[in-house]
Amino acid sequence: MNLLQKIPRWEKTIPVYAIIVVMIYTWSLLHFFWRLPSWLNFSTLGDVAILFFYMVVVNFIESVSILLAMILLCAALPSKWFLESFTTKASLLALLGLGSLMAFNQNLRDDLIFFTGMIVIVLALTFLLDRVEFVRKILEELANRMTVFLYIWMPISAIALLIVLVRNIFSP
């Protein structure tokens, strides 16, 4: 089996990307609105809009990077481990992995043993919960329904990327 056959099809990748986008963009949006009142005290509305566009571009780069990491993991592992049920395993990995990183960030822990244990638990749950048919159906349905958010965030990301590029190319 060559490397191209170990890359998941587009139909399996889009729902996983939707879960990643929803988690990352929502997390950043919550922090953005948390800080917004204080920014309005010393910044103009245009400055706040530029901050928003930069945040969206960083979110886009992060979400694509995470998806590419999962595709590379899929290509590196045997097909039975990850490729055959890419949507559910990658969705579980995204939900559990990003969720635990968000909790880790929220609690401001710097314990290496805790972080290592968290990684082991996330990987174990990813491969164990994928075997439960009920969880598998829920994840596939959730991932498919979250693709609607791509219709919102991808145009916003494209506009933000264009604005950031133009701003950085043409600014003195």
Side-chain angles (χ1 to χ4, degrees):
M1 181 180 270
N2 68 19
L3 188 63
L4 289 177
Q5 291 175 339
K6 293 180 89 176
I7 294 176
R9 291 190 329 260
W10 191 250
E11 303 86 35
K12 291 185 174 186
T13 308
I14 293 297
V16 175
Y17 184 63
I19 286 180
I20 295 168
V21 163
V22 167
M23 290 190 73
I24 288 178
Y25 282 63
T26 304
W27 179 258
S28 295
L29 206 57
L30 286 172
H31 284 279
F32 179 82
F33 284 126
W34 180 263
R35 293 182 180 108
L36 182 63
S38 66
W39 287 339
L40 291 176
N41 287 331
F42 61 87
S43 299
T44 64
L45 197 56
D47 292 338
V48 173
I50 293 298
L51 284 172
F52 176 77
F53 291 136
Y54 274 98
M55 177 196 75
V56 170
V57 169
V58 169
N59 288 341
F60 176 71
I61 293 169
E62 284 178 351
S63 60
V64 168
S65 300
I66 291 170
L67 181 66
L68 286 176
M70 288 191 189
I71 291 172
L72 287 174
L73 182 68
C74 183
L77 291 174
S79 296
K80 282 192 168 198
W81 286 14
F82 213 74
L83 181 63
E84 291 178 0
S85 58
F86 179 79
T87 303
T88 55
K89 284 185 181 171
S91 297
L92 267 170
L93 192 58
L95 286 170
L96 296 173
L98 290 174
S100 61
L101 284 174
M102 290 173 186
F104 189 77
N105 182 14
Q106 197 67 22
N107 294 328
L108 296 175
R109 297 188 64 141
D110 59 352
D111 188 8
L112 184 63
I113 295 171
F114 177 78
F115 186 71
T116 307
M118 185 178 66
I119 291 172
V120 169
I121 290 171
V122 164
L123 289 174
L125 283 175
T126 298
F127 285 96
L128 289 176
L129 288 177
D130 181 58
R131 295 176 185 227
V132 180
E133 189 64 30
F134 176 70
V135 174
R136 181 179 241 172
K137 285 182 181 179
I138 288 175
L139 279 172
E140 286 176 357
E141 193 61 35
L142 180 70
N144 285 330
R145 289 179 187 264
M146 284 193 182
T147 56
V148 171
F149 291 103
L150 293 178
Y151 291 108
I152 299 168
W153 282 114
M154 289 305 100
I156 292 172
S157 297
I159 291 168
L161 186 62
L162 183 67
I163 289 172
V164 167
L165 284 174
V166 167
R167 189 175 194 295
N168 285 317
I169 290 173
F170 296 113
S171 68

